[in-house]
Amino acid sequence: MSTRLFGESVQRVEDQRFLRGEGRYVDDVLVGTTGRDMLHAAVLRSPHAHARIVDIDVSGVLDLDGVHLVWTHDDLDGPMAEPLPLLIPHPSLTHGRTQYALAKDEVNYVGEAIAFVVADDRYVAEDAVGRIRVQYEFLPPVVGIAAARAAEHLVHDDVPGNVGARLEQENGDARAAIAAAPHTLSLDLTVERSASTPLEGRGTVARWDPDIGRLTVWTSTQTSTGVRAALAAKLGLDLGRVDVVTPDVGGGFGVKINHPWPEELLVPAAARLLGRVVKFTEDRREHFISSAHERGQVHHVEVGFDDEGRVLGLNVEFWHDHGAYTPYGLITPIVTSTQLLGPYKPGAYRVVFESLYTNTVMVTPYRGAGRPQGCFVMERTMDAIAAALGKDRTEVRAVNFIQPDEFPYDQGLIFQDGRELEYDSGDYPASLQRLKDLVGWDDFPKLREEMAREGRTVGIGLACYVEGTGVGPYEGAHVHIETSGKVKVATGLTTQGQGHATVFAQVVADVLGVPFEDVDVVTGDTRRMPYAVGTFASRSAVMSGSAVHLAALRAREKVLRIAADALEASEEDLEIVDGVVSVKGAPGSGASIDLRTVAVLSNPLRYAFDEASQAATQFSVGDPGKPPVAEDDEPGLEGRDFYSPQRSTYASGMHAVIVETDPETAEIKILKYAVVHDCGRLINPMIVEGQIQGGVAQGVGGALYERMAYDESGQLLNASFMDFLMPYVTEVPERIDIDHLETPSPLNPLGVKGAGEAGVIPSAAVFASAIEDAEGPSHPGLVITAMPISPSELFHLRQVHTEESR
Amino acid sequence: MSEELYDVRLTVNGVAHDVRVPARRLLSDALRHDLGLTGTHVGCEHGVCGACTVLVDGRPARSCLMFAVSAVDSSITTVEGLTRDDGTLGPVQQAFAECHGLQCGFCTPGFLTTITAGLADHPSPTEDDAREMVAGNLCRCTGYTNIVKSVLRAAALRDGRRTPSPGTEESET
Ligand code: FES
Ligand code: FES
């Protein structure tokens, strides 16, 4: 191919509409045309963390002008009255529980949906919600991991000890290895709750078309096929009568992979009943208290190591707070328990976790999905070993690395996709060397001295991770070359800002030899690609990228077959350049045919629709001795294929940061941030770097600012952007130095690995390492064991440390 | 019980629109749902994220903190009004496209309007000025690096072109 787009920083095609204010997000759908006819939903949510519902009085609600419908659980029947699906069952999830679309008898967190109202506009709907009276009988709330473990009170009466699941995995005899090791350490490590918090919350619009008996649902989701299947099952509709379209999505970061949300079912049900378009748009407070959170875990580590710092045995126990329900199964703690190992190969490893119920918002994956916690645990352990042996932190890591000649490397565990945790490729020593160069690791002592002379305290830290990306089961793609010569591509997973329309077009343009501008990509529309899984686990480039590549290859094969026939040449001698098929090395020699004509010829016609298409009509084309469409062929110039890998690909990376901590105020300032990143081959470096920059910013939030402040009664005290401290530009590093290492994955045709989540994974670990290092000279032995860390917490740590060392 | 409605005329991107709205209707909702100008986004409805920022007589204002009825005598510019009459992108929009200043695009309209007004006041910002200019807007996707770059690039584009973008025209008069 002459002009290869793979690997180029192509400007994004989707930006043109976003920049003009012409994006179509879910709250924009059907505004204007049918907007006048549209109804709006609002939800009554529990103000209590744990209570029995004694009575709900909705009388007077329908009297309000403009109110069309009010539902409580009593109004639901059939599958709609059953609990929501448990999406990912697991044999160890012995006590999985999911909520009802509207609470039945009991509420288990502040924010749980109790009643659903539809009215002329959202203002009136909220007025109506205000008229509903609920009588509660209070139950003692269980908040936080300590309370859940103590189990003095239960979240669900039928779940003993508040334990939803217990899962243990072991490779080797870790406890024996630790007992026999020359050195041992134990650590207790905590990570707080945080959340995805996309700028756009959840939202759903539904239209029932009575003329054709068809439901169309637009929803801000990370899986349109998942929502579609759940909707058909819950509403008792044939799958073929349900279309789910994911419009532009204003960020996801994991939270929108969970489905179906109560509103995702109630809105379509109401639209069908009322025969009107119904819309629900979540507001910011609702997003905080009624979507999902992540990250809250407490860990205990036992480690045994030799004089070099080599880990001989590692035994990790942890407790995962999954909130009130478990719709997403055990994915997050399984990811922690496996990905904790990072680029290292401990002699023996045992991990056991309990997944616990609390009366708080449920927990589903947030960008990183359990890896930030795992990375924090492993990297804190590495730092502790280095401190115990008086060694450089990079040296301890280096002796534990899996070496480049050891791939594929089997960690001997089962990963979140049910497959072996087997790393496909990587070069960790090379990454570490690049990171040290990039951040100036070896020169840092000099910098520290210089700064100390000015009375300033600085510290440096690093953290390494491995990320299983591109999990299965599969994705598919459809490529259609139309008779205009334009190429229409559809893949089923959804897009939340990753630039899929650009990168997939790059892949297709390369394969088909067509101008980039002629390729148009649609994602997340079940009408265009009904078989798909979704966007999570950094899987889009790997899964849909590969599927799009394979589908385009199929279309190309057909192009060449038809063109070879028309040009009386052999397929192997043909090439496609700028949308024209010609004999290789002889462009312009006359023997050529453009894709438009090939597309026309691919579909034998009885009826012409323009001049060009006359070439495909029955008296113009075809061998009268053969059927117009060969037995094993299909009309049209299309390619469809699926990509389903045996297991995940494993991306990796390392971050380093230099921080300054104020000796008086304990303020924490970022001086330098460096990233070395290996996601295999890069389709569009500009987009990959954007993903890293965004991930790092979220990581900074998670490490230094963001937490969910629950009080003991289960009220979320900071459920607004005023109080939940998401970073502004003033909180993020001014520059991020990025270096890419490209170790191609052998598992897919593009050699790519996922890149979406990487930026956020090592943040808590890298900041803990650097802040501890900065504090070292003034507070020797001060250890950071809990993240995030605010200036006041660091201040407090210093005080405690000073008192203890007196 | 039905709500009292008010007839108001909203002047948006140079076009007058007559709407009937209750007193409590937010300007953001009126723009989006009554006028169908859905480019203005709502990220928090409590004045913190900046996604809903529009220019009211050239000054950035959070349309989620204003009632439609209080915008009657003002001239409002939304993101839709930043595109040039010939359909090409204005300098701030163009800079965002060149610098990958957006990912999901949800926060973007608020940044574009804010920066348009910011550059009218500070046509040649330093990098610190650029950061300051966008310090009141939240973006969850980009990490801001490329947004700061976009501000600087927009200033350069504005200089080179000499033709002020539609938004700045308004604020300079
Ligand atoms: S929506 Fe107005 S500031 Fe967030
Ligand atoms: S681009 Fe998504 S919030 Fe800014």
Side-chain angles (χ1 to χ4, degrees):
Chain A
M1 263 144 276
S2 45
T3 49
R4 213 174 144 68
L5 291 170
F6 193 108
E8 292 298 312
S9 287
V10 177
Q11 268 186 38
R12 303 200 326 167
V13 291
E14 43 276 85
D15 290 354
Q16 290 298 322
R17 68 174 188 279
F18 291 152
L19 290 167
R20 291 182 161 82
E22 291 167 1
R24 269 283 168 275
Y25 301 85
V26 67
D27 192 55
D28 308 339
V29 169
L30 299 183
V31 162
T33 47
T34 44
R36 308 267 163 235
D37 196 37
M38 192 186 315
L39 302 177
H40 297 260
V43 176
L44 173 72
R45 303 187 184 280
S46 173
H48 305 296
H50 201 191
R52 246 181 267 292
I53 298 173
V54 179
D55 182 55
I56 308 177
D57 178 7
V58 296
S59 64
V61 172
L62 289 170
D63 298 343
L64 201 61
D65 226 23
V67 176
H68 297 260
L69 172 153
V70 54
W71 278 342
T72 66
H73 186 269
D74 283 348
D75 301 294
L76 308 177
D77 56 16
M80 277 294 281
E82 302 290 317
L84 300 181
L86 203 164
L87 296 167
I88 311 179
H90 188 285
S92 294
L93 182 56
T94 49
H95 293 77
R97 297 290 178 270
T98 56
Q99 71 183 86
Y100 293 87
L102 293 170
K104 181 177 189 287
D105 306 331
E106 186 176 330
V107 282
N108 283 302
Y109 63 92
V110 171
E112 186 163 353
I114 295 176
F116 178 77
V117 172
V118 177
D120 281 345
D121 67 29
R122 174 69 180 234
Y123 297 70
V124 178
E126 288 188 20
D127 291 345
V129 162
R131 287 198 170 195
I132 303 171
R133 295 283 165 260
V134 185
Q135 237 183 296
Y136 299 95
E137 177 192 320
F138 302 121
L139 299 169
V142 178
V143 181
I145 288 174
R149 287 182 68 190
E152 275 170 42
H153 304 292
L154 297 181
V155 175
H156 302 286
D157 295 339
D158 56 352
V159 180
N162 293 315
V163 180
R166 183 181 183 282
L167 180 60
E168 177 172 345
Q169 292 204 66
E170 184 158 24
N171 185 16
D173 188 342
R175 282 165 289 190
I178 295 167
H183 310 276
T184 60
L185 276 174
S186 69
L187 295 85
D188 289 290
L189 300 163
T190 305
V191 179
E192 258 287 353
R193 264 196 183 215
S194 185
S196 304
T197 328
L199 251 269
E200 181 208 39
R202 299 178 298 118
T204 301
V205 179
R207 177 172 65 193
W208 173 254
D209 186 336
D211 297 328
I212 53 170
R214 221 181 159 80
L215 180 68
T216 310
V217 176
W218 293 261
T219 192
S220 191
T221 185
Q222 294 176 222
T223 171
S224 28
T225 45
V227 173
R228 182 185 188 221
L231 260 171
K234 282 288 185 185
L235 299 193
L237 289 168
D238 296 340
L239 192 68
R241 292 194 179 278
V242 181
D243 300 318
V244 175
V245 182
T246 304
D248 291 324
V249 173
F253 313 114
V255 64
K256 293 176 183 174
I257 191 63
N258 189 56
H259 67 279
W261 299 97
E263 301 84 355
E264 246 163 358
L265 300 173
L266 295 164
V267 164
R272 181 159 66 144
L273 183 78
L274 298 170
R276 301 271 296 268
V277 174
V278 179
K279 173 182 283 182
F280 167 74
T281 303
E282 183 181 62
D283 69 24
R284 186 49 56 187
R285 178 172 160 77
E286 287 181 297
H287 188 75
F288 274 103
I289 63 168
S290 56
S291 59
H293 303 160
E294 211 233 276
R295 302 275 197 268
Q297 283 180 184
V298 172
H299 316 77
H300 177 74
V301 182
E302 304 277 343
V303 61
F305 49 98
D306 66 14
D307 296 342
E308 309 306 316
R310 210 170 281 118
V311 175
L312 305 172
L314 179 66
N315 185 16
V316 179
E317 288 176 272
F318 71 95
W319 295 268
H320 171 80
D321 172 1
H322 64 224
Y325 300 104
T326 55
Y328 213 73
L330 300 178
I331 296 300
T332 302
I334 290 178
V335 171
T336 299
S337 64
T338 48
Q339 299 264 268
L340 185 147
L341 293 174
Y344 312 113
K345 42 172 185 182
Y349 175 54
R350 172 181 179 264
V351 62
V352 54
F353 68 80
E354 280 183 354
S355 196
L356 301 168
Y357 284 99
T358 58
N359 289 111
T360 57
V361 170
M362 67 194 187
V363 163
T364 65
Y366 158 35
R367 194 181 204 170
R371 292 180 192 84
Q373 301 95 311
C375 181
F376 179 67
V377 168
M378 193 66 186
E379 295 299 297
R380 288 278 68 201
T381 305
M382 287 290 162
D383 284 351
I385 293 171
L389 296 175
K391 284 189 173 297
D392 185 278
R393 287 166 287 168
T394 60
E395 273 174 45
V396 170
R397 284 164 171 88
V399 298
N400 283 288
F401 280 156
I402 297 162
Q403 296 303 309
D405 59 1
E406 291 180 286
F407 292 98
Y409 188 86
D410 188 351
Q411 288 278 23
L413 304 174
I414 298 298
F415 190 42
Q416 61 136 322
D417 52 1
R419 304 292 168 126
E420 308 81 6
L421 184 72
E422 183 183 294
Y423 297 179
D424 53 339
S425 62
D427 189 343
Y428 310 137
S431 287
L432 182 62
Q433 190 52 51
R434 288 200 193 195
L435 185 76
K436 287 173 73 173
D437 295 345
L438 198 59
V439 76
W441 186 270
D442 292 333
D443 297 334
F444 181 74
K446 246 196 291 165
L447 177 73
R448 192 201 301 269
E449 258 172 56
E450 276 165 34
M451 296 297 248
R453 277 199 291 274
E454 295 172 26
R456 296 169 69 183
T457 346
V458 293
I460 193 168
L462 86 160
C464 315
Y465 66 91
V466 167
E467 180 195 4
T469 68
V471 303
Y474 72 86
E475 284 303 328
H478 180 251
V479 172
H480 182 192
I481 304 169
E482 297 191 343
T483 53
S484 60
K486 303 257 192 259
V487 183
K488 305 295 165 185
V489 181
T491 186
L493 55 63
T494 63
T495 303
Q496 307 93 41
Q498 301 93 330
H500 293 156
T502 304
V503 292
F504 297 155
Q506 287 178 255
V507 170
V508 170
D510 274 354
V511 174
L512 289 180
V514 295
F516 174 74
E517 303 71 42
D518 284 353
V519 186
D520 179 33
V521 179
V522 164
T523 58
D525 184 338
T526 63
R527 298 169 302 186
R528 296 283 303 276
M529 174 46 80
Y531 292 98
V533 184
T535 300
F536 54 90
S538 303
R539 69 194 292 279
S540 304
V542 178
M543 302 302 296
S544 275
S546 298
V548 159
H549 175 81
L550 295 174
L553 280 177
R554 293 214 174 250
R556 179 188 168 87
E557 282 163 21
K558 189 157 184 181
V559 168
L560 295 183
R561 181 151 43 83
I562 296 169
D565 221 29
L567 298 175
E568 296 179 352
S570 123
E571 287 173 38
E572 300 83 73
D573 296 338
L574 298 179
E575 64 178 356
I576 319 175
V577 178
D578 274 342
V580 177
V581 193
S582 58
V583 176
K584 269 182 217 162
S589 69
S592 75
I593 181 169
D594 63 23
L595 283 179
R596 280 187 303 250
T597 313
V598 179
V600 166
L601 293 176
S602 73
N603 182 20
L605 292 174
R606 185 171 174 86
Y607 312 115
F609 50 87
D610 61 11
E611 206 169 327
S613 60
Q614 288 177 0
T617 52
Q618 55 195 17
F619 297 110
S620 321
V621 81
D623 179 345
K626 289 185 193 159
V629 178
E631 231 175 75
D632 55 352
D633 206 356
E634 294 173 1
L637 202 48
E638 301 182 36
R640 182 165 125 131
D641 210 340
F642 291 85
Y643 173 68
S644 181
Q646 197 183 336
R647 63 175 66 89
S648 302
T649 81
Y650 288 83
S652 64
M654 300 178 186
H655 291 200
V657 67
I658 298 178
V659 300
E660 177 173 3
T661 58
D662 189 292
E664 304 295 327
T665 64
E667 236 168 304
I668 301 156
K669 208 170 135 197
I670 305 166
L671 301 186
K672 192 175 174 79
Y673 202 103
V675 175
V676 174
H677 183 249
D678 185 353
C679 62
R681 296 175 61 206
L682 307 180
I683 306 175
N684 184 322
M686 174 192 85
I687 287 180
V688 172
E689 295 204 352
Q691 289 290 320
I692 294 173
Q693 289 159 351
V696 167
Q698 270 181 335
V700 168
L704 303 178
Y705 302 100
E706 296 169 9
R707 69 180 73 232
M708 291 293 167
Y710 274 103
D711 70 9
E712 66 281 4
S713 68
Q715 295 292 337
L716 184 58
L717 302 178
N718 60 343
S720 84
F721 278 163
M722 219 102 68
D723 304 303
F724 177 83
L725 303 178
M726 213 154 99
Y728 286 98
V729 69
T730 37
E731 279 69 51
V732 304
E734 281 179 24
R735 264 188 47 209
I736 301 169
D737 296 320
I738 302 175
D739 194 0
H740 298 284
L741 194 73
E742 294 192 41
T743 320
S745 171
L747 299 183
N748 63 69
L750 302 176
V752 298
K753 302 177 178 184
E757 296 170 274
V760 84
I761 294 171
S763 318
V766 79
F767 279 101
S769 182
I771 294 168
E772 193 174 287
D773 185 52
E775 297 298 298
S778 55
H779 299 85
L782 180 149
V783 188
I784 291 171
T785 58
M787 292 298 271
I789 185 161
S790 64
S792 52
E793 278 155 335
L794 180 58
F795 189 84
H796 178 74
L797 262 187
R798 284 177 183 170
Q799 279 184 320
V800 172
H801 179 267
T802 314
E803 275 161 30
E804 277 172 2
S805 42
R806 248 183 221 141
Chain B
M1 184 199 86
S2 69
E3 276 181 278
E4 194 172 340
L5 299 175
Y6 297 84
D7 288 308
V8 296
R9 170 165 291 193
L10 295 176
T11 308
V12 186
N13 305 327
V15 180
H17 303 261
D18 293 316
V19 289
R20 305 197 90 188
V21 291
R24 62 178 173 171
R25 190 120 177 117
L26 297 176
L27 178 59
S28 50
D29 285 339
L31 291 170
R32 293 179 42 76
H33 300 292
D34 296 322
L35 306 186
L37 292 169
T38 53
T40 299
H41 295 159
V42 173
C44 69
E45 270 189 314
H46 47 252
V48 182
C49 75
C52 68
T53 306
V54 298
L55 304 182
V56 176
D57 298 324
R59 312 306 314 161
R62 311 234 142 155
S63 61
C64 74
L65 295 184
M66 267 180 87
F67 292 119
V69 291
S70 48
V72 270
D73 297 319
S74 312
S75 158
I76 297 163
T77 305
T78 66
V79 63
E80 288 92 342
L82 303 183
T83 307
R84 295 167 197 275
D85 287 341
D86 65 0
T88 57
L89 298 177
V92 186
Q93 294 164 309
Q94 180 61 31
F96 268 66
E98 290 176 16
C99 302
H100 188 27
L102 66 158
Q103 291 183 19
C104 79
F106 201 78
C107 67
T108 313
F111 278 95
L112 297 177
T113 47
T114 302
I115 295 165
T116 298
L119 289 177
D121 290 346
H122 300 280
S124 324
T126 62
E127 195 177 319
D128 280 346
D129 296 336
R131 296 170 78 83
E132 176 91 348
M133 203 178 280
V134 297
N137 289 55
L138 285 173
C139 171
R140 191 59 157 169
C141 296
T142 63
Y144 306 101
T145 315
N146 290 342
I147 293 181
V148 174
K149 267 192 209 154
S150 302
V151 174
L152 300 173
R153 176 70 187 141
L157 283 174
R158 235 171 137 262
D159 265 8
R161 296 257 173 92
R162 293 202 172 224
T163 29
S165 70
T168 54
E169 232 163 32
E170 228 177 58
S171 61
E172 275 162 11
T173 47

